[in-house]
Amino acid sequence: SMEERSLSRQVVIVWRLRGTLLAVAAAFLCGALAVFSRTLALLCASFGGAAYLLFMVWYCKARFESTTYALLPGVLLLRCGVFFQKEIRLEFARTQFCELMRSPAERALGLAGLTLHAAGARLRLDGLEENEALAVRRRILEGAKDEI
């Protein structure tokens, strides 16, 4: 079907958790800079804080809204990108194997991601509900088998 599908809204929580972990690590680096220069540490903290707020408030939402996928006959179509938009078409027949991956946060939220390995390419589709990820994976692998 040509119906474009969105990721699960819960994926925004996962992205925000990852951003927060990165921000905590960056805060430690800013603190370490204070040993050398208090001014540099304050600048680092200010820019880091502004970037964190922009990420949390705007970027995660924009990334969610700009990412869609569709299962076409024999093809997975992925559209994504906040600043630079990409359209990726992966033929099922080119798929060598497909991994289902779940981080602890994704498991807690009932989400999963697929990594598709194809000849000369690797495609990651994050933020699917677990049952949807299993269905997409099954459709791709069955399609790949049918076309050999």
Side-chain angles (χ1 to χ4, degrees):
S1 68
M2 181 47 200
E3 173 195 343
E4 285 200 37
R5 303 173 190 182
S6 294
L7 305 177
S8 168
R9 273 204 174 277
Q10 300 280 66
V11 74
V12 173
I13 295 169
V14 174
W15 294 336
R16 287 179 174 158
L17 279 171
R18 288 178 187 162
T20 299
L21 290 173
L22 189 61
V24 168
F28 277 107
L29 290 175
C30 288
L33 276 177
V35 172
F36 304 106
S37 167
R38 196 167 178 183
T39 306
L40 199 55
L42 287 172
L43 277 173
C44 173
S46 299
F47 283 118
Y52 177 71
L53 284 175
L54 192 63
F55 175 81
M56 294 296 269
V57 173
W58 175 76
Y59 181 79
C60 288
K61 185 174 181 283
R63 181 177 172 191
F64 172 78
E65 291 171 353
S66 69
T67 304
T68 60
Y69 70 99
L71 292 170
L72 309 174
V75 175
L76 171 68
L77 176 68
L78 175 64
R79 290 191 173 112
C80 58
V82 174
F83 301 107
F84 301 96
Q85 297 192 336
K86 294 189 289 193
E87 182 176 297
I88 303 163
R89 299 172 65 88
L90 180 64
E91 295 172 23
F92 297 166
R94 289 187 56 209
T95 304
Q96 294 167 334
F97 66 98
C98 181
E99 294 175 289
L100 185 79
M101 296 172 48
R102 295 175 291 227
S103 69
E106 288 169 322
R107 278 196 307 273
L109 295 167
L111 301 178
L114 293 174
T115 302
L116 307 169
H117 298 265
R122 196 179 98 210
L123 177 68
R124 178 90 175 137
L125 182 57
D126 270 325
L128 301 174
E129 290 184 15
E130 196 171 339
N131 58 348
E132 176 75 2
L134 290 168
V136 169
R137 179 182 183 204
R138 186 169 38 256
R139 174 116 181 253
I140 289 169
L141 293 176
E142 285 171 2
K145 211 169 30 184
D146 292 345
E147 296 178 28
I148 292 175

